[in-house]
Amino acid sequence: MNRIVRPVPGILLRRLAFASIIANVGIVVTGGAVRLTASGLGCPTWPRCTDGSYVTTSEMGAHGVIEFGNRMLTFAVGLIALATVLAVLAHRPRRPGLLALAVAVFLGIPAQAVIGGITVLTNLNPWVVGLHFLASMAVIAASYALWRRIAEPDGPTVAVVPAPLRVLARVTTAVGVAVLVIGTWVTGSGPHAGDQGAARNGLDPESISQVHADSVFLLIGLSVALIFAFRAVGAQRATRAAIVLVAVELGQGLIGFVQYFTHVPAVLVGAHMLGSCLVLLATLAVQWSTRERRPVTLTPVTTPADSATPAVPVTA
């Protein structure tokens, strides 16, 4: 007798995708804790924790426990991603694009683990550590895209703001990515190397911090411009998203300035890493607010309620 597989409801699928976002943000924060407690080489090799053991030993002390614990969290994040993939496969009707996004998130977990292993094998090379962080940002972005796509209907994608404002939103996103990249350079030049013997990237901390601050000022300026531009065309949803983005950026900027003038305390660095994830998510929310998917209908599509500008098709 054939077994009947019950389809996964959309609400469960969306909750799994949201859990994936939370889990990937969480592993960024715990990964920061590894570095900030100088536990980056608590397990001095990879994939084993020591040459003779896959798990930490009592001789390795607290640093070994912290590093090994972070490695174990990778499996938890991977299980959530795998559950999401299986849920997408069981969801009915099949949704275009969902499986590709879910698989991308799932494959990003082992890829991220390999990069983490390379950081250990290279004795916490600051450039590889920076790549490790940026890879997490890419997985978070894919998780967010999956979460948003699940809630959208199947149909054409239309713009709800004029083309110049969509360009401005993309430029803001590009600057936001640049801020994240430069932030890894600042971290690589600073005092929190993850281990007492780990090298720094050789950049002057004061100079690269100034470059980072300048890029943040540019990002905030562009984000404020988005608020006024969206309001001018009556795009209420996009305006709200831009306001949230500016608020998150100001909070993140405040943490950054305080940590700089207080000689980079570990607690504030950890908060700054969490803030980086929130800035990324808020930036992506702005991107999503400039377009929407419309269900296939036999009636003419009308102008969206929150925009005074006629909606035009855009690339999905």
Side-chain angles (χ1 to χ4, degrees), residues 11-304:
I11 185 65
L12 175 58
L13 190 57
R14 187 165 166 82
R15 286 174 178 173
L16 282 171
F18 187 72
S20 188
I21 296 174
I22 299 299
N24 280 286
V25 171
I27 204 165
V28 168
V29 176
T30 59
V34 171
R35 182 169 59 84
L36 296 170
T37 57
S39 302
L41 294 178
C43 287
T45 188
W46 187 88
R48 298 188 178 191
C49 194
T50 69
D51 290 333
S53 175
Y54 281 97
V55 301
T56 185
T57 62
S58 58
E59 292 81 6
M60 301 171 68
H63 291 319
V65 173
I66 293 172
E67 165 64 6
F68 182 72
N70 187 63
R71 291 187 183 188
M72 290 299 98
L73 283 176
T74 301
F75 289 99
V77 177
L79 286 174
I80 294 174
L82 177 60
T84 305
V85 171
L86 296 177
V88 169
L89 289 172
H91 183 64
R92 295 293 183 276
R94 288 287 177 86
R95 302 284 304 283
L98 289 190
L99 183 59
L101 284 171
V103 170
V105 173
F106 175 68
L107 294 180
I109 308 304
Q112 174 72 325
V114 170
I115 297 173
I118 295 173
T119 66
V120 173
L121 298 176
T122 57
N123 294 318
L124 306 184
N125 181 290
W127 300 107
V128 182
V129 172
L131 178 61
H132 191 43
F133 172 79
L134 294 174
S136 288
M137 296 296 103
V139 176
I140 290 172
S143 299
Y144 181 84
L146 176 62
W147 179 65
R148 291 298 297 257
R149 181 67 186 91
I150 290 169
E152 294 178 330
D154 292 326
T157 303
V158 296
V160 296
V161 298
L165 299 192
R166 299 199 301 275
V167 172
L168 179 59
R170 294 189 190 105
V171 170
T172 303
T173 300
V175 172
V177 171
V179 167
L180 291 175
V181 173
I182 298 171
T184 65
W185 302 347
V186 175
T187 300
S189 70
H192 299 292
D195 184 77
Q196 297 292 340
R200 302 285 70 204
N201 59 22
L203 299 175
D204 177 61
E206 185 173 347
S207 298
I208 195 62
S209 293
Q210 184 61 57
V211 173
H212 184 56
D214 292 341
S215 64
V216 169
F217 287 137
L218 175 60
L219 177 61
I220 294 175
L222 289 170
S223 301
V224 171
L226 282 175
I227 294 176
F228 288 102
F230 289 153
R231 288 189 64 182
V233 298
Q236 298 177 9
R237 185 164 61 95
T239 301
R240 290 192 296 269
I243 290 173
V244 171
L245 174 59
V246 170
V248 174
E249 289 169 350
L250 290 176
Q252 175 75 332
L254 177 61
I255 294 173
F257 274 109
V258 172
Q259 75 172 12
Y260 179 79
F261 289 109
T262 55
H263 307 292
V264 201
V267 172
L268 289 182
V269 174
H272 203 54
M273 293 183 69
L274 173 60
S276 296
C277 298
L278 298 180
V279 169
L280 172 65
L281 292 171
T283 303
L284 294 174
V286 170
Q287 282 293 325
W288 247 262
S289 71
T290 64
R291 34 76 78 201
E292 63 182 29
R293 285 184 183 269
R294 300 287 179 78
V296 178
T297 177
L298 298 178
T299 58
V301 177
T302 58
T303 302

